[in-house]
Amino acid sequence: MVAALALPLPLVAAALLALAAAWLWDFAVVRHLWRPRAVAAAFRAQGVRGPTYRFLKGSNDDVRRMRAEADAAALDVRDHDYLRRVTPHLLAWKDQYGAPFLYWFGPQPRICLFDYESVRQVLWNKSGHFMKTDVHPTILAMLGKGLVLVEGTDWVRHRRVVNPAFAMDKLKMMTVTMISCADRLIKECEELASNNKSGIVEVEFSKHFEELTAEVISRTAFGNSYKEGKEVLHTQKQLLALASATLLNLKLPGFKYLPTKSNRLKWTLENKVKMTLMEIIQPRLALNGSGYGDDLLGLMLEACFTTEQGERRDELTLTMDEIIDECKTFFFAGHETTSHLLTWTMFLLSVHPEWQERLREEVLRECGKANHTADMLSKLKEMTMVLLETLRLYGPIMTMIRKPISDIRLGSLSIPKGTGIVIPIPILHRDKEVWGANANEFDPLRFANGITNAAKTPQALLGFSIGPRSCIGQNFAMLEAKSVMAMILQKFSFTLSPKYVHAPTDFITLQPKFGLPIVLRPLDASC
């Protein structure tokens, strides 16, 4: 044994040199030179072109440059075609190379689709041929590998555990909590207005909606006060900022394990989220003798631990790490997307006062002036139309990305294994052949006969995705948005503040870059 280890130094050096050379050949030549050229040639043979691949960086520098140039542009408040601000690279490449086109996220090839039939084939696929792409490490730290990111049998197991928490009877019970949380915001606004002689007050609503939706998800899904939920929210927002700042950075193998400044910050924030969530979970564990509760957290804990007979139900088992990841996912998804839906709805109703008045009349007709119930909210048909049109024009997610697990044919295209398939949601939502000549305009009436009849292509609305992986929380989000907007419409009329600058920006999710300052006017008591 000792003799075997006592190799001459030249032999050891030669062996290490050979390993280094092999790694360098695979990394630099195969992965970052030969394979991109081969993929580009294969797509070019099919008539698919795109920007030139650049060693290591792919198209990332071009994306960064075009976004920086576009970021200076501010739009008219009635201009809902913000794509030249938010996705200038996709528009430029589509104009230059046609559709679909191929571009590069570092060394990873991505093909951008613009036809609904191909999108439908990808999102409705039930055979497991298309998976989520590898997620940025900081986004993974923020979201956790919960229902949004797990695949295959793990997804089936997670979905089976979580699904009962979003049954309609459970959601109806949550309406009381949603109204209670919204009522605090309403009272705060009323107090601000009463302290102003004119009775008119300016409120920055994007921040208020973030806090409101975070409190709602804290109380409805995890049963805790907003104190711990606010801590999770704040830490996840820091991770979101870090992810946005580093998304297009060069990524070398093993880099995520190095103690760089950004990695150390990510590790600290990730640990803080985990510790805060454990503070929420621990008191529930003490309730073992009397059950864990019937909210999302309670259902997951019930699935994690033993039954009364001490036997594990394997088909419904989640580990503690998986429960923590699901908590991360639902804390973020449960407040981030709904807060932006509320923000952009408030914006659109400010810009289109005729629809604000229509919704107010509907709310007063169906709900009166008192607090409403879930059954009352279900009757708000025009409110539903406005929320769906908001999702079409200002949906929170800019792109969905999938990759085939093997070489596959999609329509007339042969797509190699591992190629990123990009679905540009806001561009598809403005396809005039599908949505009509007014696709860039705010027209809730297009949803008068439901989602499936809103466009020439059924299920063309991708705000909550479609297919088996569609958002499990879409009914929750719609119910919460209806609750909050109904209460605001009962109490106030509102317009955009002169300070508002219309500059939508892609900060992982679509947000107003400079917030949403709104001028509130309390309604006359006789209204």
Side-chain angles (χ1 to χ4, degrees), residues 262-290:
S262 62
N263 281 344
R264 291 198 307 272
L265 176 58
K266 177 179 76 71
W267 297 335
T268 299
L269 294 172
E270 185 176 17
N271 187 61
K272 186 176 181 180
V273 170
K274 183 176 181 178
M275 292 300 102
T276 306
L277 289 173
M278 284 305 301
E279 290 177 11
I280 295 173
I281 293 170
Q282 287 295 345
R284 272 316 166 88
L285 296 178
L287 300 176
N288 187 16
S290 56

Side-chain angles (χ1 to χ4, degrees), residues 271-511:
N271 187 61
K272 186 176 181 180
V273 170
K274 183 176 181 178
M275 292 300 102
T276 306
L277 289 173
M278 284 305 301
E279 290 177 11
I280 295 173
I281 293 170
Q282 287 295 345
R284 272 316 166 88
L285 296 178
L287 300 176
N288 187 16
S290 56
Y292 298 104
D294 60 357
D295 56 12
L296 175 63
L297 178 58
L299 291 170
M300 289 192 295
L301 290 174
E302 187 71 27
C304 180
F305 295 100
T306 57
T307 64
E308 292 180 4
Q309 289 75 31
E311 300 172 353
R312 294 181 68 87
R313 295 176 293 175
D314 291 334
E315 76 280 5
L316 290 179
T317 296
L318 293 180
T319 67
M320 182 55 70
D321 284 342
E322 287 175 324
I323 286 178
I324 290 172
D325 278 351
E326 287 296 355
C327 289
K328 288 182 185 180
T329 294
F330 282 99
F331 253 113
F332 183 80
H335 89 267
E336 183 78 6
T337 55
T338 311
S339 71
H340 296 323
L341 173 58
L342 285 165
T343 295
W344 291 118
T345 301
M346 197 83 172
F347 162 75
L348 286 167
L349 292 179
S350 298
V351 174
H352 299 276
E354 69 281 8
W355 274 99
Q356 181 183 152
E357 189 55 37
R358 284 181 69 155
L359 293 199
R360 182 174 294 108
E361 290 175 2
E362 182 183 52
V363 168
L364 293 175
R365 181 174 67 251
E366 301 296 345
C367 306
K369 302 173 187 175
N371 285 348
H372 39 266
T373 65
D375 289 334
M376 290 177 179
L377 294 174
S378 68
K379 298 177 182 178
L380 301 180
K381 304 302 183 186
E382 291 190 334
M383 175 82 79
T384 300
M385 289 156 50
V386 166
L387 291 173
L388 293 176
E389 181 70 341
T390 302
L391 280 171
R392 186 185 73 84
L393 288 173
Y394 291 90
I397 306 301
M398 293 291 95
T399 58
M400 288 183 282
I401 306 176
R402 301 290 187 270
K403 64 179 180 181
I405 61 174
S406 60
D407 295 351
I408 198 166
R409 194 159 188 85
L410 187 63
S412 62
L413 286 178
S414 294
I415 301 180
K417 170 185 176 180
T419 301
I421 298 174
V422 178
I423 300 170
I425 298 173
I427 297 179
L428 289 165
H429 282 173
R430 287 162 176 77
D431 186 337
K432 292 183 179 181
E433 291 185 6
V434 175
W435 291 97
N438 69 342
N440 287 322
E441 299 171 14
F442 177 69
D443 181 16
L445 289 174
R446 72 179 81 245
F447 289 100
N449 296 314
I451 293 177
T452 56
N453 297 309
K456 293 180 181 178
T457 298
Q459 294 186 307
L461 185 69
L462 304 174
F464 290 119
S465 190
I466 57 174
R469 296 294 297 259
S470 61
C471 176
I472 193 174
Q474 56 186 289
N475 290 332
F476 179 95
M478 290 292 285
L479 187 62
E480 182 179 357
K482 285 183 180 181
S483 296
V484 175
M485 290 309 305
M487 294 185 71
I488 292 173
L489 288 162
Q490 284 174 324
K491 299 291 186 178
F492 301 98
S493 65
F494 46 91
T495 56
L496 285 177
S497 165
K499 299 176 185 176
Y500 176 76
V501 178
H502 192 37
T505 189
D506 182 8
F507 195 65
I508 307 297
T509 53
L510 185 71
Q511 306 178 24

Side-chain angles (χ1 to χ4, degrees), residues 109-250:
R110 289 188 171 179
I111 185 163
C112 196
L113 302 180
F114 295 92
D115 67 290
Y116 270 101
E117 178 54 30
S118 295
V119 169
R120 187 193 64 78
Q121 290 180 44
V122 172
L123 297 181
W124 271 102
N125 183 273
K126 296 181 180 180
S127 59
H129 287 152
F130 298 99
M131 300 177 64
K132 303 285 182 78
T133 54
D134 296 333
V135 68
H136 188 284
T138 307
I139 294 177
L140 183 61
M142 176 183 70
L143 273 180
K145 201 164 185 181
L147 196 59
V148 171
L149 297 178
V150 290
E151 297 285 355
T153 57
D154 284 338
W155 177 82
V156 173
R157 181 166 50 88
H158 282 238
R159 179 90 179 203
R160 196 177 292 157
V161 169
V162 169
N163 206 50
F166 292 91
M168 189 51 69
D169 60 331
K170 288 278 195 342
L171 294 181
K172 287 182 177 181
M173 293 170 59
M174 295 177 186
T175 307
V176 176
T177 302
M178 294 173 180
I179 292 171
S180 173
C181 294
D183 191 52
R184 278 193 284 277
L185 172 60
I186 296 296
K187 283 183 167 54
E188 183 179 340
C189 292
E190 287 178 326
E191 184 177 350
L192 289 171
S194 67
N195 292 333
N196 194 319
K197 290 182 179 179
S198 66
I200 299 172
V201 64
E202 184 176 299
V203 178
E204 209 301 292
F205 264 94
S206 61
K207 296 296 183 186
H208 278 294
F209 284 148
E210 275 188 7
E211 294 180 358
L212 169 62
T213 55
E215 182 179 8
V216 169
I217 196 67
S218 295
R219 292 178 59 187
T220 57
F222 306 105
N224 71 305
S225 69
Y226 182 45
K227 179 183 176 183
E228 292 88 355
K230 189 173 183 179
E231 192 67 37
V232 175
L233 163 66
H234 178 67
T235 310
Q236 285 186 321
K237 294 295 284 185
Q238 289 177 282
L239 284 165
L240 181 68
L242 183 60
S244 184
T246 60
L247 191 62
L248 295 174
N249 289 358
L250 179 65

